[in-house]
Amino acid sequence: MPKIKHTAQKDSAVSSAHAALGTGSDDTDVPRRPFKRVTCRSPPQPRSWSDGSDFEDELAAEERVEYIAVRKTVPKPGTRKPSYMPSPPPEQPASDARLCYWLYASGSEAGVGVHGASGQHQEMEAERARAPAHKAAATGGEFCCVGTWGGGTGKPARRGWRAPAAEVVVVALLATMALLVLAFGAGGARGLLPSSLQGVQFVRKPVHATSPVRAAADRDKPASSPRRDQDDRLLGGLLSPAFDEQSCRSRYASPSLYRRPSRFRPSPYLAARLRRYEARHRRCGPGTPLFEEAVERLRSGRNAARSECQYAVWTPFNGLGNRMLALASTFLYALLTDRVLLVHAPQEFDGLFCEPFPGSSWTLPAGFPIADFDGIFTMLSPTSYKNMKKAGAINGGDHVNVTAETLPAYVFLDLIQSYTDAAFCEADQRVLAKFNWMVVKSDVYFATAFFLMPAYRRELARLFPEKEAAFHHLARYLFHPSNDVWGIIRQFHEAYLAGADERVGLQVRVFPELPVPFETMYGQIMRCSEQEGLLPKVARQDAAAPSPDGGKMKLTSILVTSLSPEYYERIRGVYHANRTESGGYVAVHQPSHDGAQHTEARGHNQRALAEIYLLSFCDRIVTTAVSTFGYVAHGLAGVRPWVLLRAPAPETPAEPACVRSLTVEPCMQAAPRQMCGAAKGSDIGALASYVRHCEDVHGGVKLFS
């Protein structure tokens, strides 16, 4: 697949800096000293902001500068240099001085200003005037040095070694100078400066306005302060920093591919509970003595009381979107009940995701006593909790007399679409808590049901103060594409999406049970676009060609994800043959079109996972009703999608064509018909103010903030 190499802005900044360092000196006979770039080091900056605030907009309005003048000294021969101090620059006079400053909002990494003469200073001020403050980009803090050698020769001061006590000397010198200025007036202060400091210009580095279209390299590494970079890298404390980046490149890199940071910040309590869970997983996970002890009891068919470690084993069912929704729900269940999540990963699921828990694995090891998951765990399985209750083996209402020793070695929690009534009563939860091993099989997002249970309501309110962000946080914590899948994502993103001014994602899915004809579905997409203004409008044939605003042509990239190529081909043909009303460019892309879903094939699942993430990187997302693929994509992005509603019949167009979802959360398509404690026949979508019916599945429910 072709890759487009973009020229990063910092390359031009480096060139300008080199040009500035190589010119502007009147002493042409003195050979130039080489310019040496060093890494600028920034200490943590005290910063506080409110949840949901736009951090970059706040930084763009402020600029913090602290000036520090440092005199260079050279240690005496024979003295030992501290190990933390770099070597002094060669041939540097002991009396040379330089100016160093902290710049919280800077234009580029290498934009070092050198101003020894008044003409250069005027050029800097003119450059500052051309960069409006309200367009300045806050690109992080760095420790930079500018100035001149000695008495104004115009030679650039270099970054290098300095004695640790230099600041003390300079602070004392500056304090003395201040007193002398007060005593004799400002007019005579210039003559009191040492000759080595008279040539130093106290200048501020200009903050250049940035183009709205940034190069791919800059977008992959958005400019910000070191503290902001660390905060984004760990998703506000959601992720642990204890991983090796090379083992899973997507874990810390994927947030940088989103156009803007998530508006949902994880609660400190959620971050603390995740760290506590990780410690439990390390203590009880595969390869530990406690795990081996629990496996031996499972193998012997015994269920012991007061076991230190309990487990929830997830087994996949249905397509990739269904699996990700069910796995996230199972992890939330493990978090609420202090269980350890383990994953039965068949061949087609293996290698899709990185390990999410540091220092341990979530994959069932070879030799696990249960092997035939597909054959054992069916709707007729005698180990199913639902079937146990029907057979009278367990009385969910008589949880007091049920002891752990009398229970089977494990229980099967069957939560596929038609059987979600079995486990969401509190009495049932008290019985299930006595099983040390639990196998969970589902194809729905059943996490929503926990928010309706009084037993978990308080804990969930602390974990997710913004309830509609529950899956968003769970998915961003749990799912990280493997390096193989991440390579597909990065290659396509850099080639086709990174350079666009706007990215529109269109996910089209036609289900076998409702085979909507192509023309009907395509017409619905166009009506939705016209209704909501989603795709660029095509100009009439007799309309005059528009003049581009400011000489710049806007580029819109449309990403189509579908099993069929027809929608991509039709949309691309429209924009290929017609110009847009705005005069901008439109590029249409489709990563793959497999024709049919092949969940049993690993390659198909890898492409599907890559397209889920590419769709989530779009600014505006249009999804198809009932599609779990779309649920996961907009949930990862943390955006509210436009949903193409389901037609009442294959030949009947849907009215309206689409609606904007009021929440980020996925839909629990098969909600329990009745929650325990609620009146018989009550509407489950009206049991709480934060639960409503889904736009695309009326019988389903979803969370709202």
Side-chain angles (χ1 to χ4, degrees), residues 177 180-182 184-194 198:
M177 289 168 53
L180 291 173
V181 168
L182 291 175
F184 297 99
R190 180 177 297 274
L192 298 175
L193 286 172
Q198 289 180 9

Side-chain angles (χ1 to χ4, degrees), residues 15 17-18 71 77 160 190 295 327 442 465 472 475 495 536 667:
S15 302
H18 279 240
R71 177 182 295 278
R190 180 177 297 274
V295 168
L327 182 50
S442 179
H472 176 66
C667 176

Side-chain angles (χ1 to χ4, degrees), residues 126-428:
E127 189 173 4
R128 284 175 54 82
R130 290 192 296 269
H134 70 280
K135 292 185 179 180
T139 60
E142 58 175 320
F143 190 56
C144 301
C145 306
V146 299
T148 57
W149 293 112
T153 61
K155 299 178 183 178
R158 295 179 294 178
R159 309 172 190 181
W161 176 88
R162 63 184 176 93
E167 289 94 344
V168 178
V169 175
V170 173
V171 168
L173 175 62
L174 293 177
T176 305
M177 289 168 53
L179 292 175
L180 291 173
V181 168
L182 291 175
F184 297 99
R190 180 177 297 274
L192 298 175
L193 286 172
S195 60
S196 59
L197 281 177
Q198 289 180 9
V200 175
Q201 301 277 345
F202 282 65
V203 298
R204 296 178 70 173
K205 184 173 169 182
V207 181
H208 299 282
T210 57
S211 169
V213 184
R214 294 178 294 180
D218 291 323
R219 190 174 289 122
D220 287 351
K221 296 182 179 180
S224 57
S225 69
R227 179 166 181 169
R228 167 70 189 279
D229 287 342
Q230 179 73 359
D231 189 65
D232 284 352
R233 179 176 175 268
L234 302 180
L235 299 177
L238 197 67
L239 303 182
S240 167
F243 286 96
D244 171 31
E245 294 189 31
Q246 296 305 312
S247 64
C248 182
R249 297 186 181 94
S250 67
R251 191 187 318 274
Y252 302 130
S254 60
S256 66
L257 269 62
Y258 291 97
R259 182 83 74 179
R260 53 185 63 88
S262 170
R263 64 187 181 93
F264 300 108
R265 294 189 61 80
S267 68
Y269 183 73
L270 173 60
R273 288 286 277 114
L274 291 173
R275 301 294 87 77
R276 197 169 85 189
Y277 173 84
E278 291 164 358
R280 182 168 66 251
H281 200 105
R282 284 192 296 270
R283 187 173 69 254
C284 300
T288 64
L290 289 173
F291 178 79
E292 298 301 329
E293 180 183 333
V295 168
E296 283 304 314
R297 284 198 298 268
L298 176 64
R299 187 175 281 114
S300 66
R302 294 181 291 108
N303 184 65
R306 297 181 297 277
S307 177
E308 184 174 349
C309 300
Q310 292 184 308
Y311 300 88
V313 180
W314 173 83
T315 183
F317 182 66
N318 232 323
L320 181 62
N322 301 82
R323 295 180 178 197
M324 295 176 72
L325 293 173
L327 182 50
S329 301
T330 306
F331 175 65
L332 178 59
Y333 184 57
L335 204 62
L336 292 171
T337 58
D338 290 332
R339 290 182 179 269
V340 172
L341 173 67
L342 298 175
V343 170
H344 164 235
Q347 181 271 337
E348 75 275 4
F349 191 82
D350 186 38
L352 288 181
F353 299 101
C354 302
E355 293 282 355
F357 312 125
S360 187
S361 174
W362 68 347
T363 306
L364 281 179
F368 190 71
I370 303 173
D372 185 14
F373 279 80
D374 292 334
I376 295 176
F377 302 113
T378 67
M379 63 170 53
L380 301 177
S381 172
T383 60
S384 165
Y385 182 72
K386 168 177 60 70
N387 293 335
M388 285 184 187
K389 288 179 64 177
K390 284 183 178 179
I394 293 177
N395 185 358
D398 187 23
H399 61 87
V400 176
N401 296 323
V402 176
T403 61
E405 293 84 352
T406 62
L407 294 174
Y410 64 90
V411 64
F412 169 40
L413 202 56
D414 187 359
L415 296 178
I416 62 173
Q417 294 213 18
S418 303
Y419 301 99
T420 53
D421 292 333
F424 297 111
C425 289
E426 294 185 32
D428 293 316

